[in-house]
Amino acid sequence: MNAIVKQCLAGLRVLLVLTVITGVLYPAAVWAVSRVPGLRANAEAVDTTLVAVPRDGDGWFVPRPSAATPPASGGSNKGERNAGHDAVVAERRAAVAGREGVAEDRVPADAVTASASGLDPHISTAYAELQVPRVARENGLAEDRVRDLVAEHTDGRSLGFLGEPGVNVTALNRALDAAR
C-alpha cells in the first residue's frame, strides 16, 4: 500500500474515533449527569462568580438584563435597528429609572442592554453607583460602606488597557450577604 494511503486511513480512523468520543459519548454523558435528581436544585452557581446571578428584592445589585431563560444562555439576536429591540430598551430604561429614582437619561447603557450570553456578571461602575443608594437603604447600611464594597469588587481593565473597569455583581451580592 502506498504510504500516503496508509496515512490517510490512519487519519480517518482518528477522525472517526474522536468524532464518536467528542460528538456522541461526551455530550451523552453530560446530558445524563444533568438529569440526575438533586443536581439542578440550586439556582445559584456555588463557588463561582463567572455567571450573573440575579436575586429577588430591592436589597441587591441588579446584573445586566438577559434575553435567556434559565438555565439556558443566549442573546436575543435583535440589533439596534430592530424596532422590537428599541421598545425593549425603552421599557427597561423606564423600569430602571423608576426603581433607582432617577431621570431616564441617567440610566447607563449596560442597565438596559443584555450581554451576548446573557450571563455576564459584570456591570459598569456607573450602573453600580446608580444602585448604591437603593441597596444601602434596603440593607440598612451606610452608602459609604456599600461604595467600599463596590470598589472591592471592581475589576480593572483586561491586561491593564482593554475595555472598561467592571463590577462583578455576583461577588458583590455575596459580600452584601456577609455585610448584613
Side-chain angles (χ1 to χ4, degrees), residues 42-46 48-56 60-63 118-121 168-171 173-174:
N42 188 359
E44 183 165 340
V46 178
T48 186
T49 56
L50 299 176
V51 176
V53 180
R55 295 192 180 185
D56 293 330
W60 308 104
F61 282 88
V62 179
L119 302 175
D120 184 8
N168 188 310
V169 174
T170 302
N173 282 336
R174 289 184 183 159

Side-chain angles (χ1 to χ4, degrees), residues 25-162:
L25 297 178
Y26 178 75
V30 169
W31 177 84
V33 168
S34 75
R35 299 298 176 235
V36 174
L39 291 182
R40 298 173 59 185
N42 188 359
E44 183 165 340
V46 178
D47 295 332
T48 186
T49 56
L50 299 176
V51 176
V53 180
R55 295 192 180 185
D56 293 330
D58 287 336
W60 308 104
F61 282 88
V62 179
R64 293 180 70 176
S66 174
T69 303
S73 69
S76 69
N77 292 331
K78 291 182 179 175
E80 60 186 29
R81 292 186 175 187
N82 182 294
H85 180 264
D86 292 343
V88 168
V89 167
E91 183 180 305
R92 288 176 181 162
R93 187 176 314 281
V96 170
R99 182 182 67 231
E100 305 303 338
V102 298
E104 287 187 21
D105 63 347
R106 289 204 43 220
V107 175
D110 65 316
V112 296
T113 56
S115 65
S117 69
L119 302 175
D120 184 8
H122 290 89
I123 60 172
S124 67
T125 54
Y127 188 27
E129 179 60 33
L130 186 71
Q131 297 183 63
V132 164
R134 172 185 49 80
V135 171
R137 181 180 63 251
E138 292 294 322
N139 287 292
L141 298 170
E143 285 188 24
D144 287 339
R145 174 67 181 125
V146 175
R147 281 190 182 87
D148 289 343
L149 290 172
V150 169
E152 290 172 21
H153 294 87
T154 299
D155 300 328
R157 297 171 185 259
S158 297
L159 302 176
F161 67 95
L162 295 175

